[in-house]
Amino acid sequence: MGLRFDVITLFPEIIESHCSCALLGRGIKNSIIELNTINPRDFTHDKHRRVDDTPYGGSAGMVMMAPPVFEAYESIEKFPDNEFIMLTPQGEPYNQKISKELAQKNQIILLCWVIMF
């Protein structure tokens, strides 16, 4: 087995659709990489499967509830030498150096907080 990607996202269909095409799709088909999507809504405990909450302090916007995200993360089988990455607008830009470091890992776990269209 090759490199495994576990993606925690509210939109697993979008991730799976994009990853089924071109180079990623061929990598998955040839078992070079593996993709697993996890939806935090599957770990909620209310009938509406709510994962968002209002921010503390009364400012505008929405934030993700911690319990569903934490339970989604805990549900993932962890491989030796994995890397957990939270994707945020404030994060470090992806570059060749990071790419080479991540290529040495067995598993990359991505937490997608935001998705833009």
Side-chain angles (χ1 to χ4, degrees):
M1 184 183 74
L3 177 59
R4 176 171 166 154
F5 288 90
D6 291 283
V7 183
I8 303 170
T9 176
L10 292 174
F11 305 100
E13 310 83 23
I14 293 173
I15 301 298
E16 291 165 1
S17 173
H18 285 289
C19 291
S20 68
C21 302
L23 289 175
L24 286 175
R26 288 199 316 238
I28 292 169
K29 181 180 175 185
N30 295 327
S31 300
I32 296 169
I33 59 174
E34 183 180 345
L35 174 67
N36 179 39
T37 56
I38 304 95
N39 190 336
R41 290 188 193 283
D42 295 337
F43 299 91
T44 58
H45 301 286
D46 69 316
K47 69 179 184 178
H48 300 291
R49 297 176 61 194
R50 236 176 41 143
V51 294
D52 52 349
D53 203 355
T54 54
Y56 296 102
S59 61
M62 299 299 282
V63 295
M64 296 275 287
M65 290 180 173
V69 174
F70 179 76
E71 289 180 38
Y73 173 79
E74 287 294 307
S75 76
I76 299 170
E77 176 189 359
K78 311 298 186 299
F79 293 4
D81 198 22
N82 68 59
E83 185 77 25
F84 176 72
I85 302 170
M86 287 197 293
L87 302 170
T88 67
Q90 298 83 11
E92 182 180 346
Y94 187 74
N95 58 36
Q96 189 66 25
K97 179 182 177 235
I98 293 171
S99 180
K100 287 180 180 181
E101 290 171 7
L102 293 177
Q104 303 305 310
K105 304 291 182 182
N106 293 323
Q107 179 183 31
I108 298 172
I109 303 169
L110 300 171
L111 174 56
C112 299
W113 288 100
V114 179
I115 193 149
M116 297 186 181
F117 298 95

